[in-house]
Amino acid sequence: MDILIVDDEQSIRLTTSLALESEGHYVETAEDSVSAIKRLKEEDFNLVFLDLRLGDEDGLKVLQEILKQNPRQLVTIFTAHASVSTAVKATQLGAFDYLEKPFTPDQLRAILAKAHKAMQTQVEVVRLQETVQELKSEVKTSSPPLQFKSEDERTQLELETLFRAAASPASVLILGESGTGKSVIAKEVHDRSHLRDKPFVTVSCPSLSKELLESVLFGHVKGSFTGAIKDTWGKVHAAEGGTLFLDEIGELPMEIQPKLLRLLQEREYERLGENKVRESNVRIIAATNRDLAANVAARTFREDLFYRLNVISVTVPPLRERRSDLVRFANDYLSFFSSQMGRKIEGFSETGRQALLRHSWPGNLRELRNAIERAAILARGLKIEAEDLPIPVAAEVPAVAGAANPVIGGEYSIDHIEQTHLREVLRWAPTLQDAAAILGIDKATLYRKRKRFGMD
């Protein structure tokens, strides 16, 4: 190791240097803080030995200056027997260890072995941090970013409400169908809050049995159930100081609901099989595709828990009710996937665009993402055609309102079919210009037809 000795006694510097060099280490020395800080700015040292009494200087202040310059620096304190209590305070301030004078070669070797192990741990921590950053980068490049602005007035109001509440500690409940992006929105709420630098921990409520879910949430102690071979902390502990996101909270078993209610009300919980009450400081964000009010009425969800979760509640509308956002999302996905695949695709043809607008998208954003990824792979031209999209999207035909069988050719007048088709297109087209383009007419003609059928 590269080691710096900082001591105002020449004999200590000399004898310690000889002992360290005999073990194969490179050693430099400094007799005061000025020269020590200067060398630490110029070179990297694995370990610093620092005397608590540098003449008139306070070694604790020197320690703090060293650690301010490099928080990872390993510093071992030299101390006389009378100042061991001060050395303990030094370790509380961030010193790696302390060595009482006079010390033996074996004591010195023990410090070196401990320092070497700490260095290896630091290397592993840095490597893990780099790996985490790489994985975050991969996640960003493997999925297109979701836009948090909407052309749909209702959706925009819901998002604005949610993000205004982000800075508060209040519980948040996000309602909406599967695939509407509830989990992504929950993470955005966390990132816009004062907890952004704290943990964001997700628990998927339907993915585990009741017993396992309780253990995953609150942790357990050894022997609390078959297979519990050691004490384990749960997600509540992992989220301490940050956000706990409970996905599909409507699936939470009744047996666990009182314990979650206690966590929300009292900020307390107990690990499974343990009687010790533990305190918790987590913010709860929950999401569900269920009608929790109906679940409360059916007695499958606790009313008091529902009201505790429902402090800030928003509903994310399904994609079929956000036609103005649909094409924008589709274009974002197409740009992302075509770039990822190295393909040049200019956009959607008119038939492709109409197919997108006609489909009801029961899988919402998740279904749209998969459909566009498939189209980007299979497209034969510079634009996405209807036939490039999945069959349920490409083949869908708008239904004739009031018809038992929505097949053209029934006992309907031409006017009835035209009026029904016109009304349906106006319902889901983002703008009148879009409706006119889909119908193959200009805006003036569309205006006359709307007036004729009393649709003004």
Side-chain angles (χ1 to χ4, degrees):
M1 289 186 284
D2 292 341
I3 300 173
L4 177 64
I5 300 171
V6 187
D7 198 301
D8 61 335
E9 293 184 38
Q10 185 178 6
S11 60
I12 294 292
R13 296 199 303 271
L14 180 60
T15 55
T16 309
S17 296
L18 290 172
L20 293 172
E21 287 171 348
S22 68
E23 297 287 338
H25 303 289
Y26 172 77
V27 182
E28 288 191 24
T29 64
E31 62 180 354
D32 55 40
S33 64
V34 175
S35 54
I37 296 295
K38 181 175 183 292
R39 286 302 292 140
L40 287 168
K41 286 181 178 178
E42 295 169 345
E43 300 290 343
D44 291 328
F45 288 89
N46 304 121
L47 180 62
V48 175
F49 284 100
L50 172 65
D51 190 8
L52 267 181
R53 299 298 173 90
L54 287 173
D56 295 331
E57 293 185 275
D58 182 354
L60 290 180
K61 290 184 179 179
V62 179
L63 170 66
Q64 290 174 297
E65 192 172 349
I66 291 173
L67 294 179
K68 183 179 179 181
Q69 182 175 302
N70 180 7
R72 293 179 182 273
Q73 181 67 64
L74 299 181
V75 181
T76 294
I77 298 297
F78 279 152
T79 178
H81 176 72
S83 57
V84 169
S85 60
T86 311
V88 171
K89 182 179 179 182
T91 59
Q92 293 172 342
L93 291 172
F96 167 67
D97 208 337
Y98 66 91
L99 191 59
E100 186 179 342
K101 297 178 183 178
F103 51 85
T104 66
D106 284 342
Q107 289 174 317
L108 187 60
R109 291 190 193 100
I111 291 288
L112 294 173
K114 188 176 176 182
H116 187 264
K117 188 175 181 180
M119 284 168 51
Q120 290 178 317
T121 302
Q122 283 187 351
V123 169
E124 286 300 317
V125 168
V126 170
R127 190 174 297 153
L128 285 171
Q129 289 174 337
E130 290 173 349
T131 301
V132 168
Q133 289 303 318
E134 288 173 6
L135 289 172
K136 285 183 177 179
S137 298
E138 287 179 15
V139 168
K140 287 181 180 178
T141 57
S142 65
S143 182
L146 189 62
Q147 300 295 325
F148 294 102
K149 286 188 177 181
S150 175
E151 300 297 325
D152 178 72
E153 185 177 350
R154 174 190 165 195
T155 304
Q156 186 60 31
L157 284 173
E158 296 281 23
L159 290 174
E160 287 175 1
T161 298
L162 199 58
F163 296 145
R164 280 202 307 273
S168 77
S171 299
V172 172
L173 181 61
I174 306 173
L175 306 172
E177 295 179 5
S178 293
T180 49
K182 298 188 295 295
S183 60
V184 181
I185 291 171
K187 181 62 167 62
E188 185 69 12
V189 172
H190 172 80
D191 289 343
R192 295 190 184 206
S193 76
H194 59 291
L195 306 175
R196 65 181 66 87
D197 296 324
K198 303 295 184 180
F200 178 85
V201 178
T202 298
V203 177
S204 178
C205 296
S207 64
L208 299 166
S209 66
K210 176 183 75 66
E211 293 78 13
L212 282 177
L213 180 57
E214 185 174 355
S215 171
V216 165
L217 266 174
F218 302 108
H220 65 261
V221 295
K222 181 180 178 181
S224 57
F225 57 88
T226 303
I229 59 175
K230 63 178 182 178
D231 289 4
T232 302
W233 291 104
K235 300 283 191 176
V236 172
H237 177 78
E240 180 63 27
T243 300
L244 180 66
F245 173 52
L246 302 174
D247 198 13
E248 298 306 339
I249 189 77
E251 307 288 340
L252 191 70
M254 284 292 289
E255 295 88 342
I256 303 178
Q257 291 180 26
K259 297 187 177 185
L260 179 59
L261 179 63
R262 180 186 182 188
L263 180 69
L264 282 163
Q265 288 187 161
E266 311 297 334
R267 300 290 182 181
E268 294 177 350
Y269 72 100
E270 294 172 12
R271 291 194 293 179
L272 196 59
E274 185 180 55
N275 293 324
K276 182 177 180 179
V277 176
R278 300 182 182 276
E279 294 184 353
S280 175
N281 178 28
V282 295
R283 188 215 193 144
I284 302 292
I285 300 179
T288 183
N289 60 10
R290 291 195 170 195
D291 184 345
L292 285 190
N295 286 10
V296 169
R299 298 182 181 277
T300 59
F301 201 87
R302 291 180 62 110
E303 185 175 22
D304 46 5
L305 178 57
F306 171 63
Y307 287 124
R308 287 297 302 181
L309 291 168
N310 201 36
V311 178
I312 302 293
S313 176
V314 298
T315 300
V316 184
L319 202 52
R320 63 181 173 275
E321 295 177 11
R322 303 167 58 184
R323 298 293 178 178
S324 53
D325 288 334
L326 176 59
V327 175
R328 178 167 59 87
F329 280 132
N331 281 322
D332 287 346
Y333 284 137
L334 181 59
S335 176
F336 175 82
F337 288 120
S338 58
S339 174
Q340 193 179 59
M341 297 169 193
R343 298 199 61 186
K344 185 179 180 181
I345 301 177
E346 296 176 354
F348 295 87
S349 69
E350 189 56 37
T351 58
R353 190 167 178 274
Q354 288 184 35
L356 290 175
L357 290 169
R358 287 196 188 103
H359 188 57
S360 59
W361 301 105
N364 293 292
L365 288 170
R366 192 177 296 124
E367 181 187 5
L368 178 64
R369 180 191 191 281
N370 293 341
I372 303 305
E373 183 176 12
R374 175 188 186 276
I377 294 169
L378 300 179
R380 285 161 287 192
L382 293 177
K383 291 192 174 184
I384 301 296
E385 303 290 343
E387 56 266 27
D388 297 324
L389 296 164
I391 290 174
V393 181
E396 188 165 320
V397 177
V400 176
N405 184 346
V407 177
I408 300 299
E411 296 181 358
Y412 309 105
S413 68
I414 294 294
D415 273 0
H416 175 78
I417 292 174
E418 182 180 10
Q419 180 178 352
T420 302
H421 179 58
L422 183 62
R423 193 180 301 278
E424 188 68 15
V425 170
L426 286 170
R427 184 180 68 81
W428 50 256
T431 66
L432 289 176
Q433 184 65 52
D434 290 319
I438 291 166
L439 293 165
I441 57 179
D442 57 33
K443 284 185 69 176
T445 303
L446 176 60
Y447 170 78
R448 289 194 294 272
K449 288 182 178 292
R450 288 171 62 215
K451 188 172 182 179
R452 175 189 167 196
F453 291 124
M455 297 180 187
D456 289 342

